[in-house]
Amino acid sequence: MYLFGDPNVWLPFVFGALMGLSILIYVVLDGFDLGVGVLLPLADDAEKDRMIASIGPFWDANETWLVLAIGLLLVAFPAAHGDILTALYLPVALMLMGLILRGVAFEFRAKAPERWKPLWNHAFFTGSLITALCQGLMLGMYIMGLDWTLFHVGFATLTAVFLTVAYSFIGATWLILKTEGALQRKAANWARGGVWGWCWAWARYRWPRRL
């Protein structure tokens, strides 16, 4: 007789709860440094240094929670692990490339000569954007049952866009907490505007003479 009842009944719920908790912690913790990376082009060079410095001590460790969630999925639900990663093979591969690009850009940016910093800033932004979009795409496809139809892909694409905006909001709130002065005011405007504020700021960055 089992002390806590039949583990075949309650153990899946325990592992499911642990996975959910790991993903939630990942979204909150890694969300702010992904958001800072997405917001990076909207700042000037001095502000970019401050933005990167604000996430420096934390960003690498935050990805541990994603590894934990995937590990729990593999250990507790191996069949689901195989089905999900098979269906989402392409966005998972792109996400991993984005994470690698972020890591390389972060390390090289700190050691590169000043003239190479813009290149690594763009690389860090690109890696952050790819990672955020791929995570949103995977979330949308998972919600729609991993069925690659036109409607489901459209829904997943919208999910990818809005998850990226959500990450940028978390990143903006992090900058409000960790910075001061003009950058803090900019971050407050980015956070206050939500999706439209982010789109407006991005449009002004891309086409400054027209807006």
Side-chain angles (χ1 to χ4, degrees):
M1 183 176 181
Y2 297 110
L3 181 61
F4 299 105
D6 188 357
N8 292 322
V9 175
W10 57 264
L11 199 56
F13 292 98
V14 172
F15 276 106
L18 290 174
M19 283 177 51
L21 180 62
S22 299
I23 293 173
L24 176 62
I25 295 174
Y26 170 78
V27 168
V28 173
L29 294 184
D30 203 41
F32 74 74
D33 61 64
L34 282 170
V36 169
V38 171
L39 293 170
L40 200 63
L42 306 181
D44 60 36
D45 290 339
E47 291 170 342
K48 288 174 184 176
D49 290 337
R50 294 168 60 193
M51 292 168 71
I52 294 294
S54 73
I55 64 174
F58 312 102
W59 78 277
D60 203 17
N62 293 337
E63 295 169 2
T64 305
W65 296 102
L66 180 62
V67 176
L68 176 61
I70 296 174
L72 287 171
L73 178 63
L74 174 61
V75 170
F77 310 103
H81 178 275
D83 290 341
I84 292 172
L85 292 189
T86 299
L88 301 177
Y89 183 85
L90 180 59
V92 168
L94 290 174
M95 182 189 72
L96 292 176
M97 287 190 285
L99 289 172
I100 292 170
L101 182 59
R102 290 180 76 235
V104 171
F106 190 93
E107 297 299 332
F108 275 73
R109 184 188 184 280
K111 300 174 176 61
E114 195 66 30
R115 69 179 184 276
W116 291 106
K117 269 193 176 182
L119 172 64
W120 296 115
N121 286 336
H122 284 300
F124 189 76
F125 161 73
T126 302
S128 300
L129 184 63
I130 290 173
T131 301
L133 288 173
C134 287
Q135 289 179 4
L137 184 68
M138 289 187 288
L139 175 62
M141 291 305 301
Y142 180 78
I143 292 172
M144 301 306 290
L146 304 176
D147 187 13
W148 289 83
T149 65
L150 182 61
F151 175 75
H152 293 172
V153 171
F155 175 84
T157 302
L158 285 176
T159 306
V161 172
F162 282 99
L163 181 66
T164 303
V165 173
Y167 279 157
S168 69
F169 172 79
I170 299 174
T173 58
W174 174 260
L175 293 174
I176 293 171
L177 177 66
K178 290 293 183 178
T179 62
E180 56 187 20
L183 179 56
Q184 187 181 57
R185 290 191 293 272
K186 281 186 179 180
N189 289 331
W190 296 334
R192 190 181 298 115
V195 58
W196 305 118
W198 187 87
C199 292
W200 174 252
W202 178 252
R204 290 192 64 182
Y205 165 75
R206 294 296 298 174
W207 303 287
R209 296 182 180 179
R210 299 183 183 180
L211 298 174

